[in-house]
Amino acid sequence: MPVRRLAYPSRPTSDDTPSVPTARDGAAGERSGRRSAPAGGAGLRRDIQGLRAVAVSLVVLSHSGVSHVAGGYIGVDVFFVISGFLITSLMLREWSREGRISLGRFYARRALRLLPASTLVVLVTLAGSWLFLGPLRFADYAKDAIASAWYVVNFRLAEAGTDYFNTDVPPSPFQHFWSLAVEEQFYLIWPIVLIVALKLFRRRALLAIPLLALATASFALNLHLTESSPSWAYFGSPGRVWELAVGALLALAAHRLHTIPRPAAAALSWAGLAAIAYAAVAFDESTRFPGHNALVPVLGAAAVLAGGAAAGRYGAGAVLSLRPAVWIGGISYAWYLWHWPLILIVPAAAGFGAHDGPLRLIAALGGIVLAWLTLHLVENPMRFHRAFKARAGRGLSVGLGLSAVAAAAAVFAAQFPPVLDSGVARQSTKETIAAASDPRAALVELLQQRVEKLPSNLDPSLRETAYKRSEVYTDDCALTMTDEVQTQPCLYGDTTADRTVVLFGDSHVAQWFPALDAIARKHHWRLYSFTKNACKVSQITIEYNGGPYSTCDDWRAATLDRIRKLEPELVITSSSNSAKLYGGGDMAQAWGKGQAETYRTLQQGRTRVLTLLDTPWPKNNAVDCAVAHPDSLSSCARHRSGADPQPEVTEAIRAAAAAENVPTIDPYDWVCAPSGNCPVVVGNTMVYRDYGHLADGFVEALTPVLEDELLRLFGADLSRRPGT
């Protein structure tokens, strides 16, 4: 598995949902920017609508693959600040006008603003996913739809992001609902906190105390999570609350913003807009985010909001208040809702795949039309209907009903998942190799038989291949990238045997566990598993999340000591050969030197070492490719000449092993045909479970082949010494 920082290929965002309050109607707000007032006046802040347009446009362009604005995901931060500012302003005005804040009316307004449009998008996206995104991930998408309907999908995404094997899984078409979930989780708490603060403190300045405490704690947590758990930092609400709080703090000072001198206000607003533009252009997927980098768009948005109140025609509002920007701002919520599912579903429906760049952009821009229709046919008719204006209970009931409808539809759809057309039944890979007198020859014959269509007797199934994990994972014996200590015994095979074998390395040695466990049981070996995701056998420091993968270095040192104390007969090592050396330098040279150090450390006394070289890599996620091309599986295959991401590293490992008298096994001949073709299906079995790892079913089928090699090298009692 390649070592890389957790990436969010679809970093989606949420258009802030509340209306801009006007002097005439602070509760209901404007209808899509049709009312107008000078920027910075008492009515509609047209510059805020324009700022919304900037934010949503950056998000759409970024998600569509426009590389010049790779950091366009910062639009989410801009929206959070706007939302905190507007919602808090609305509640303060209600308090000033009526002496109270009605929680019932507040949540009813939120429900009527959000749920009619979002329910429509959930239902349409669910249908599109069923029709065009295939059966493999549909059960997950249905769960995402349920979580989106109840505004908790961000927790699902945060948890999924901690799974090392999810880094190449296609993003969910519901992923963009995460930011709405963050907002609504904030607004479950903030109105209550504000009401209590208003009753406790007479001076407005003192209202900032609880908000500052909340923002400070959230920002500190954000910094910590960005380093320790990037997916929770990005999707989790606790580390995002401070962004909404910045907008809310600004709202507490809104009555004084007009006193800022006009030249200073104009400069402030332009500086804020420049900061947002800088972040959109300078940031990309390699940027540690949110972390301290989120301060750039957050403070930029706050500066635009603050300066725009008094800047007049010389501020950034001169551009942001232009009619096209105000119009886009008015439909930005609906455009945000539509753009992401369109980006994923339209290319798939057209047969171009989910990564077709130009079509992604065209599909996203087409969402403008759907957004306009949604605004006028769904959002506004529900939001401003006279039946809901005076009775908050009705609005809440409608909101709960819509969420329930969306969730029920997802539950129902999950009972009838889509199916793939399949070809004829193929020869059983596992049975054929197991029954052969020469397992290696039987395997080669199977590799030479091209399989173009998914076999009707595919075993295991696609979903089982992609999602089922061997015991080392279900027993928590494969450490994650943040784990430092292996607490489980992780002992398998014949646990009462005298001879001991150890698996040592990353997930690319753990992938061989199904075969090695069976071999160990048969020949009465104890089998220990010591693996950590993306942690190399070589004593080098690699990069993780922009910094040193220090938990790997610590774990490797401790594990080497543990193995030496065990004094096993055999240590089987393997690592993926894809990584980035921390601090730079010659990767192959450093890797080879570190590999030799590990061999010397282990190969003492009776202990011998074997290295399984890295397996050939498919050109993408093989299971998803098979789903997308069930009738032309050859389009998912690749030639062995291009299957090694770092061939110079492989050669360095070979050289180190030869120098230290360590035998190596090259599995390329077990995965690729003599012609050089490396298929994704052999016989009736998927070869890979994702992008980079062999499928458990295929490894099980390879058991006799691997067994023959181990016995040839070391003998059934592990007493043979290769090379001596």
Side-chain angles (χ1 to χ4, degrees), residues 70-83:
Y73 54 79
I74 56 91
V76 69
D77 309 274
V78 175
F79 280 126
F80 283 158
V81 176
I82 294 173
S83 179

Side-chain angles (χ1 to χ4, degrees), residues 16 18 79-88 110 183 187 244:
D16 184 65
F79 280 126
F80 283 158
V81 176
I82 294 173
S83 179
F85 177 73
L86 294 176
I87 290 294
T88 304
R110 298 294 293 170
E183 283 194 33
Y187 291 128
L244 291 122

Side-chain angles (χ1 to χ4, degrees), residues 241-556:
V241 161
W242 69 275
E243 301 184 25
L244 291 122
V246 167
L249 282 167
L250 189 63
L252 296 180
H255 63 297
R256 296 188 177 276
L257 295 179
H258 68 281
T259 63
I260 300 175
R262 179 164 293 184
L268 185 63
S269 65
W270 281 113
L273 192 60
I276 293 169
Y278 167 79
V281 173
F283 292 178
D284 57 24
E285 291 296 342
S286 67
T287 304
R288 289 194 185 187
F289 202 87
H292 67 275
N293 287 308
L295 286 169
V296 179
V298 167
L299 296 182
V304 174
L305 293 174
R313 60 180 180 174
Y314 298 105
V319 173
L320 297 175
S321 298
L322 293 175
R323 182 169 294 183
V326 172
W327 187 82
I328 290 293
I331 65 166
S332 55
Y333 171 56
W335 190 17
Y336 141 75
L337 285 176
W338 284 112
H339 88 281
W340 182 245
L342 289 173
I343 282 174
L344 291 187
I345 294 172
V346 169
F352 291 104
H355 300 289
D356 186 76
L359 192 53
R360 287 165 65 97
L361 180 58
I362 294 170
L365 294 177
I368 293 176
V369 177
L370 289 176
W372 185 86
L373 291 172
T374 302
L375 175 69
H376 291 284
L377 299 181
V378 179
E379 284 189 66
N380 282 348
M382 290 289 292
R383 185 176 165 201
F384 299 111
H385 198 284
R386 67 179 65 181
F388 306 121
K389 281 191 173 182
R391 298 196 177 183
R394 289 182 179 178
L396 289 171
S397 298
V398 168
L400 290 173
L402 289 172
S403 290
V405 166
V411 171
F412 178 80
Q415 309 311 308
F416 304 94
V419 294
L420 282 176
D421 293 333
S422 57
V424 299
R426 305 289 303 195
Q427 196 173 1
S428 170
T429 310
K430 185 175 181 179
E431 292 177 4
T432 299
I433 296 175
S437 58
D438 185 345
R440 177 74 174 271
L443 172 61
V444 171
E445 185 177 342
L446 286 170
L447 287 167
Q448 289 175 319
Q449 299 172 7
R450 294 227 173 194
V451 180
E452 275 299 318
K453 292 188 176 182
L454 279 175
S456 59
N457 62 332
L458 190 71
D459 184 33
S461 68
L462 281 173
R463 183 163 182 83
E464 187 177 358
T465 297
Y467 287 93
K468 187 177 179 181
R469 296 286 184 264
S470 64
E471 288 177 86
V472 289
Y473 292 101
T474 58
D475 292 347
D476 294 327
C477 286
L479 300 191
T480 69
M481 299 177 83
T482 56
D483 292 334
E484 297 183 22
V485 179
Q486 186 162 312
T487 57
Q488 304 297 330
C490 301
L491 176 60
Y492 303 96
D494 183 348
T495 59
T496 63
D498 296 327
R499 292 175 290 276
T500 301
V501 177
V502 169
L503 297 186
F504 175 48
D506 64 9
S507 59
H508 278 223
V509 79
Q511 70 183 349
W512 293 103
F513 174 82
L516 289 167
D517 184 47
I519 296 169
R521 291 175 187 274
K522 179 179 178 180
H523 294 285
H524 304 291
W525 304 339
R526 291 191 300 169
L527 180 67
Y528 283 95
S529 178
F530 300 137
T531 68
K532 180 175 171 64
N533 292 340
C535 188
K536 310 309 172 188
V537 170
S538 176
Q539 296 188 45
I540 54 174
T541 299
I542 62 174
E543 184 176 304
Y544 166 61
N545 194 29
Y549 190 4
S550 55
T551 60
C552 169
D553 295 341
D554 295 341
W555 173 83
R556 185 197 303 114

